[in-house]
Amino acid sequence: MKEPFFSFVIPVFNRPEEVRELLESLTSQQYNKPFEVVLVEDGSAQSSKEVVLDYKEKLQISYYFKENSGPGDSRNYGMRRAKGDYFLILDSDCIIPPEYLIEVEKELTSEFVHCFGGPDNAHASFSDVQKSINYAMTSLITTGGIRGNKKSLNKFQPRSFNLGLSKEIFEKTNGFGNIHPGEDPDLTFRIWQAGYSTRLFSKAYVYHKRRIDWSKFYKQVNKFGSVRPILNKWHPETKKMTYWFPTIFLVGFVMSIILSAFGFTQLIICYGLYFLVLFIDSFIKNKNLKIALLSIYAVCIQFLGYGVGFLKSTILLNFNRKPAEELFPNLFFSK
């Protein structure tokens, strides 16, 4: 295999200061070979162009501005203009550790794969809320475990905040669709259908800041839950009972409260034990009492948002003949 030429492809929407942090981290890469950065401004009102100009002398960087059409289409736009033969897709709210490219090349050299995903970690500079949300989104004992441990997975589903894609597979699949969120698992399923495999590069991690408050976090996970039944309908071979877990968890929690009022406390004790395990696990990982407590709150929001979204979407899709694009217009971008 020849050495790949890497192109970072980064869509951005109204986040110039995040772009500055990301580009600054890319200047610190320990990788001693050329690579390029392609930044696609997705119709932003707050331009990142001036920030990009500050890094023209430090990075091989290209900047494009286009009308707003969503992150998936913006990534496709960037990949069509990139010079590399291997694309590294990042979210603009990521910070990249210095050894990232070295780890990616090491993995591709030892066992080449046309698509990979990397995990996300919490940076020391993150706020307590960011760290608690990061725990909820990455822990193996929540719905986020898919990002964290390759031993727990038969097939790894990369996520677009940290995803690698060969030019060959991009041209074969035509890249991302116009659904959002959900464009990354949709692409992964089409990659599998095309006969290619995916793999987790556990050491090629990024620091994912997720600059959101509790309200935005609920809306985000609610959309994740709403999208999953759509993907199940598009790709029925990927259905899993585990996708029902947040909804079942939510219904069971309500039932445990009702039953405890009548003296049946066994179920609510089980929930209490689960929250205790969450607290201990988060405390061990974050070494902070406040973050451990906030992690319980974050997981509750995660299950509530995802569970409600999943149940509502499942009902609408099964009892309505309208296509998903008409039922959920907020989940689709027009190209």
Side-chain angles (χ1 to χ4, degrees):
M1 185 201 82
K2 70 172 185 176
E3 289 186 349
F5 179 66
F6 295 113
S7 294
F8 284 99
V9 178
I10 306 160
V12 60
F13 182 71
N14 288 336
R15 290 181 170 181
E17 291 310 310
E18 284 185 352
V19 169
R20 185 178 298 278
E21 289 182 304
L22 172 54
L23 295 182
E24 185 62 32
S25 69
L26 289 176
T27 64
S28 301
Q29 287 297 299
Q30 297 170 353
Y31 190 71
N32 58 7
K33 301 169 188 174
F35 64 90
E36 73 163 340
V37 180
V38 179
L39 193 139
V40 181
E41 192 92 61
D42 187 24
S44 300
Q46 302 172 38
S47 174
S48 299
K49 187 174 183 178
E50 292 301 319
V51 176
V52 171
L53 290 175
D54 290 342
Y55 286 87
K56 276 288 188 180
E57 301 300 321
K58 301 177 184 178
L59 294 166
Q60 183 179 330
I61 188 167
S62 302
Y63 172 86
Y64 299 96
F65 184 94
K66 52 178 277 299
E67 292 185 5
N68 179 248
S69 59
D73 189 51
S74 296
R75 296 181 191 114
N76 294 343
Y77 185 97
M79 286 187 280
R80 284 193 293 267
R81 287 156 179 79
K83 300 180 179 68
D85 50 23
Y86 211 101
F87 308 128
L88 303 174
I89 313 296
L90 302 174
D91 279 358
S92 63
D93 58 351
C94 290
I95 298 174
I96 314 305
E99 66 279 5
Y100 178 84
L101 277 175
I102 292 176
E103 295 297 340
V104 170
E105 186 178 71
K106 190 184 301 180
E107 289 278 4
L108 290 176
T109 301
S110 64
E111 184 183 347
F112 184 81
V113 67
H114 285 275
C115 179
F116 77 86
D120 52 335
N121 290 339
H123 194 272
S125 66
F126 287 10
S127 70
D128 291 344
V129 171
Q130 286 174 325
K131 289 177 181 177
S132 64
I133 290 176
N134 181 80
Y135 173 82
M137 295 294 284
T138 60
S139 173
L140 288 172
I141 54 177
T142 71
T143 65
I146 194 168
R147 289 189 176 101
N149 191 322
K150 61 184 174 182
K151 293 180 181 178
S152 66
L153 304 170
N154 293 320
K155 282 187 173 183
F156 181 69
Q157 296 182 27
R159 291 293 183 265
S160 53
F161 64 85
N162 181 13
L163 180 149
L165 198 67
S166 72
K167 184 175 183 179
E168 176 182 324
I169 198 102
F170 169 64
E171 293 174 343
K172 182 82 69 173
T173 61
N174 294 317
F176 295 93
N178 65 333
I179 191 170
H180 177 73
E183 71 274 18
D184 30 13
D186 173 57
L187 175 58
T188 297
F189 299 152
R190 288 187 284 111
I191 287 172
W192 293 345
Q193 290 166 1
Y196 294 85
S197 60
T198 56
R199 191 156 60 87
L200 171 67
F201 289 7
S202 58
K203 292 184 179 180
Y205 64 88
V206 301
Y207 298 115
H208 196 190
K209 301 196 78 165
R210 293 193 182 90
R211 288 186 176 173
I212 50 179
D213 55 28
W214 294 118
S215 175
K216 290 178 181 177
F217 181 49
Y218 175 85
K219 290 178 183 177
Q220 182 186 60
V221 292
N222 183 260
K223 283 186 174 182
F224 290 162
S226 299
V227 158
R228 182 54 66 176
I230 298 173
L231 297 176
N232 288 344
K233 192 169 185 177
W234 288 355
H235 309 281
E237 72 281 2
T238 66
K239 286 183 181 179
K240 294 180 182 178
M241 281 301 299
T242 51
Y243 295 144
W244 279 95
F245 176 67
T247 303
I248 295 170
F249 182 95
L250 184 62
V251 173
F253 186 60
V254 173
M255 289 298 299
S256 72
I257 295 173
I258 295 172
L259 289 173
S260 66
F262 293 94
F264 299 97
T265 59
Q266 293 88 342
L267 187 57
I268 202 166
I269 288 173
C270 291
Y271 276 91
L273 290 173
Y274 174 73
F275 291 133
L276 179 61
V277 171
L278 278 177
F279 174 84
I280 293 172
D281 185 52
S282 178
F283 183 76
I284 291 172
K285 290 177 178 176
N286 293 292
K287 299 177 176 60
N288 185 292
L289 183 63
K290 181 182 177 182
I291 295 172
L293 290 169
L294 287 174
S295 294
I296 297 175
Y297 186 58
V299 170
C300 287
I301 291 178
Q302 182 187 42
F303 283 174
L304 177 63
Y306 190 102
V308 169
F310 184 89
L311 183 61
K312 179 181 177 181
S313 180
T314 298
I315 293 171
L316 286 175
L317 287 169
N318 284 281
F319 294 96
N320 197 306
R321 294 183 178 181
K322 291 182 179 179
E325 289 84 350
E326 291 185 26
L327 291 171
F328 306 97
N330 63 317
L331 299 179
F332 291 87
F333 278 90
S334 297
K335 293 186 180 180

